[in-house]
Amino acid sequence: MDKNDKLLTIGQFAAMHGINKKTLMWYDEIGLFKPAVINPENGYRCYNYHQSPVLETILLLRELNVSIKEIQDFMKNRSASSLKCLLEEKIAGLDTQITHLQAVRTTLCTYHQNMDTLLTIDLSEISIVEKKERCLVTVDVDQDTSFEQEVELITAETEKYRLGRLHKASYGSMISVADLLNGSFDNYSKLFIEIPFLPYHAGLHIMPSGKYLRAFHKGKWDGIPKRYQEILDYAKKHKLNLHGFSYEMGINENVIDRIEDYIVQIEIPMEG
């Protein structure tokens, strides 16, 4: 007997596909997937090998969270065209989920890295680190921009890029090296948002790859100018040329209650 004609019991067929036989019984009851034959003497359901691809398609669609109603509609008009359209829709949904999960993973890795930094850093140290190129979304601000306006600007950008939740991106502020060298330590000109997996396009700010001078400041913001002066003195002493912007980002907001414990990471690109 050809394997396509060989009948399998409901238990055998269910085991072959890694499901419970009650699932097959339910599929039969709702008219979604019926057995090849039903034994007239005992009412036992039997299936054949030829039905396996159809059942696997149903199981795949269920794994993709396709509703029973959608699958029933598909089964009534089953064709290459209808399956192609259905799969295209689900692939697009999966791509969205994957992007979301990758963004969440990137955020978790950033948090993990920040916590590791917190446990190992010497806050008085100024060091040189190597960084990869990153694309940042930026919004322009000045000394007259209120906190409320900053929140509105950031909110508008997160909506523009469909972030949904703030934890899907990293946030910080930027001040030009030219202003730092002129002693204008509070002349912040931009806020930045780093969105994971955002492809480059016109209008994005490039945080260049290369060596950066890295330092940390703990405490209220009014102490940051003093830290910047220490950074500039360090660069001058070691004949390091700074350029572009200084990038500031808080690294411990999620584990503190007092502003006095707030730690800002400062990174400034170096020439050469």
Side-chain angles (χ1 to χ4, degrees):
M1 180 184 289
D2 187 270
K3 67 178 181 179
N4 290 317
D5 298 323
K6 182 177 176 58
L7 293 177
L8 301 169
T9 67
I10 188 171
Q12 291 172 324
F13 197 68
M16 186 169 72
H17 292 277
I19 60 175
N20 191 297
K21 64 180 183 181
K22 290 184 178 180
T23 300
L24 288 174
M25 294 170 65
W26 181 52
Y27 284 173
D28 181 17
E29 291 170 2
I30 64 175
L32 179 61
F33 183 75
K34 290 189 170 296
V37 298
I38 296 180
N39 190 313
E41 297 181 1
N42 54 27
Y44 288 172
R45 297 170 173 86
C46 294
Y47 300 80
N48 62 37
Y49 180 84
H50 177 70
Q51 292 179 283
S52 286
V54 178
L55 178 60
E56 281 300 322
T57 299
I58 293 173
L59 296 177
L60 171 63
L61 294 176
R62 288 298 292 150
E63 192 171 338
L64 294 173
N65 293 320
V66 180
S67 70
I68 290 294
K69 177 64 168 60
E70 286 181 283
I71 298 176
Q72 286 175 322
D73 291 342
F74 162 70
M75 293 297 290
K76 290 175 184 176
N77 302 283
R78 187 156 48 105
S79 68
S81 176
S82 61
L83 181 57
K84 177 177 179 289
C85 291
L86 184 57
L87 291 179
E88 284 176 348
E89 177 187 335
K90 298 308 171 183
I91 288 170
L94 275 178
D95 287 341
T96 299
Q97 291 180 41
I98 289 170
T99 300
H100 167 72
L101 290 174
Q102 287 176 326
V104 171
R105 186 184 189 282
T106 298
T107 300
L108 291 177
C109 288
T110 299
Y111 284 170
H112 181 271
Q113 181 180 355
N114 288 345
M115 295 309 103
D116 184 60
T117 299
L118 288 173
L119 295 171
T120 58
I121 59 171
D122 175 356
L123 290 174
S124 65
E125 182 182 20
I126 298 175
S127 59
I128 297 175
V129 296
E130 191 82 25
K131 296 186 69 68
K132 295 180 180 179
E133 179 181 284
R134 294 147 71 186
C135 294
L136 306 177
V137 177
T138 61
V139 294
D140 294 331
V141 295
D142 56 36
Q143 292 177 319
D144 295 326
T145 307
S146 67
F147 176 74
E148 290 75 15
Q149 290 172 321
E150 290 181 358
V151 171
E152 290 177 2
L153 289 169
I154 290 294
T155 301
E157 289 301 312
T158 56
E159 291 177 353
K160 177 180 176 181
Y161 290 94
R162 299 178 182 178
L163 274 180
R165 299 286 298 279
L166 291 179
H167 72 251
K168 294 180 183 177
S170 299
Y171 301 83
S173 53
M174 298 164 55
I175 183 170
S176 73
V177 170
D179 280 326
L180 295 177
L181 293 173
N182 288 330
S184 302
F185 297 124
D186 58 352
N187 194 26
Y188 291 90
S189 57
K190 296 179 184 293
L191 302 178
F192 73 79
I193 313 168
E194 182 180 7
I195 302 174
F197 309 107
L198 179 66
Y200 174 76
H201 59 78
L204 290 180
H205 173 86
I206 298 299
M207 185 176 180
S209 62
K211 296 186 184 300
Y212 281 68
L213 209 55
R214 174 185 286 175
F216 299 91
H217 167 72
K218 181 178 181 180
K220 296 181 179 180
W221 283 279
D222 58 11
I224 291 182
K226 180 175 180 294
R227 188 55 168 156
Y228 270 124
Q229 189 59 61
E230 293 170 352
I231 294 171
L232 295 178
D233 291 343
Y234 179 94
K236 183 177 181 180
K237 178 181 178 181
H238 293 84
K239 298 180 179 180
L240 305 175
N241 293 319
L242 307 179
H243 71 102
F245 288 87
S246 171
Y247 302 87
E248 296 180 14
M249 185 172 65
I251 63 172
N252 67 335
E253 300 104 317
N254 49 359
V255 293
I256 62 169
D257 295 316
R258 306 184 315 146
I259 190 62
E260 291 80 7
D261 296 323
Y262 188 79
I263 296 177
V264 175
Q265 175 179 274
I266 299 169
E267 295 179 328
I268 309 175
M270 300 162 42
E271 292 181 349

